[in-house]
Amino acid sequence: MISDEKSGYKSWSNLKKQMHDLLCDSLKDKISYFYTSYHEVHNAYGRATINYDKKEMVAFSWVEMYAQEREVSQLYAEGKKVSYGELKRGKWMPECKLCDADFINSITIYLKTDISVSLNSDNYLLRVFAFMDRRVGKRTLIKIKDDVEKLPDWVKQFYQIRCEADSIVFHLNELQTRVRSEK
């Protein structure tokens, strides 16, 4: 589990409500966050997703937690000393190999973090949340276009979803960006 800080959330329903309240108007009825924890199972395994139009866009499962642990153990067995933080930034975040606890932890961090910091974070989940946040306007979305192009596809898809929802059109063969006039 990637641990930037201990997640001391009290209830998923409260976090979900806060995240929904931060969604921009154009995505309020399209984006949803899902999390469940299987309390009856040892270690309360869980699963989390971000959905768009009821379609699962990314998933975070307890299975990834074991994959992370296994990878760290293998690297140590080979004599390589790596930290979770290094693997998170260099491999797991770009590949979206995150577990449900990473998702919850990222939400709790996001809710305490300035939006401009989230837009530039090396925690890609914070960027995803920020792309869909009502506090990020069209001008900011246009301004960060070049930075977004360098991000992994799983992150870019949320930027594209937001831009489409706000009628921001990028022409791939041109450097110009235009905002469609509202009808």
Side-chain angles (χ1 to χ4, degrees), residues 48-60:
T49 64
I50 302 175
N51 306 304
Y52 173 65
D53 277 341
K54 299 181 181 173
K55 180 183 173 201
E56 192 173 282
M57 302 303 288
V58 289
F60 312 96

Side-chain angles (χ1 to χ4, degrees), residues 59-72:
F60 312 96
S61 172
W62 61 271
V63 175
E64 290 301 331
M65 177 183 62
Y66 285 110
Q68 291 170 356
E69 292 286 338
R70 185 174 48 252
E71 185 169 353
V72 170

Side-chain angles (χ1 to χ4, degrees), residues 145 149 156 160 169-177:
K145 176 187 176 276
E149 289 179 4
K156 283 191 246 186
Q160 292 169 340
V169 178
F170 293 106
H171 296 285
L172 299 177
N173 298 332
E174 302 173 14
L175 295 176
Q176 289 185 347
T177 304

Side-chain angles (χ1 to χ4, degrees), residues 152-183:
D153 289 341
W154 76 270
V155 179
K156 283 191 246 186
Q157 73 181 343
F158 291 100
Y159 176 77
Q160 292 169 340
I161 286 169
R162 170 66 189 273
C163 288
E164 287 173 14
D166 284 355
S167 301
I168 299 172
V169 178
F170 293 106
H171 296 285
L172 299 177
N173 298 332
E174 302 173 14
L175 295 176
Q176 289 185 347
T177 304
R178 69 178 173 88
V179 178
R180 267 192 240 148
S181 60
E182 300 295 323
K183 294 182 178 179

Side-chain angles (χ1 to χ4, degrees), residues 22-142:
L22 288 173
L23 283 173
C24 66
D25 289 340
S26 59
L27 293 176
K28 280 264 192 221
D29 296 327
K30 295 181 177 280
I31 292 289
S32 63
Y33 302 105
F34 169 81
Y35 172 76
T36 191
S37 180
Y38 306 106
H39 298 287
E40 301 297 320
V41 180
H42 176 67
N43 288 339
Y45 297 134
R47 186 168 192 284
T49 64
I50 302 175
N51 306 304
Y52 173 65
D53 277 341
K54 299 181 181 173
K55 180 183 173 201
E56 192 173 282
M57 302 303 288
V58 289
F60 312 96
S61 172
W62 61 271
V63 175
E64 290 301 331
M65 177 183 62
Y66 285 110
Q68 291 170 356
E69 292 286 338
R70 185 174 48 252
E71 185 169 353
V72 170
S73 294
Q74 287 173 344
L75 290 170
Y76 271 104
E78 295 169 6
K80 298 175 184 168
K81 296 186 180 190
V82 295
S83 70
Y84 278 90
E86 291 170 327
L87 286 170
K88 174 184 87 169
R89 285 184 298 279
K91 185 173 183 179
W92 299 333
M93 264 300 164
E95 294 176 3
C96 195
K97 303 236 183 236
L98 305 170
C99 67
D100 56 306
D102 299 327
F103 175 77
I104 292 294
N105 195 27
S106 293
I107 286 177
T108 59
I109 292 167
Y110 181 73
L111 293 171
K112 298 179 213 170
T113 304
D114 184 80
I115 193 72
S116 62
V117 172
S118 293
L119 281 169
N120 296 298
S121 176
D122 62 354
N123 180 334
Y124 292 153
L125 276 171
L126 298 187
R127 286 187 184 212
V128 166
F129 300 145
F131 293 158
M132 298 182 290
D133 196 302
R134 62 181 162 79
R135 298 171 291 174
V136 176
K138 289 181 181 182
R139 283 182 286 200
T140 301
L141 289 168
I142 292 167

Side-chain angles (χ1 to χ4, degrees), residues 1-25:
M1 171 179 82
I2 297 169
S3 181
D4 292 323
E5 68 180 50
K6 291 288 182 198
S7 175
Y9 80 100
K10 300 229 186 297
S11 75
W12 165 241
S13 60
N14 185 36
L15 289 180
K16 183 178 177 180
K17 180 183 180 336
Q18 289 179 67
M19 292 300 288
H20 184 267
D21 290 347
L22 288 173
L23 283 173
C24 66
D25 289 340

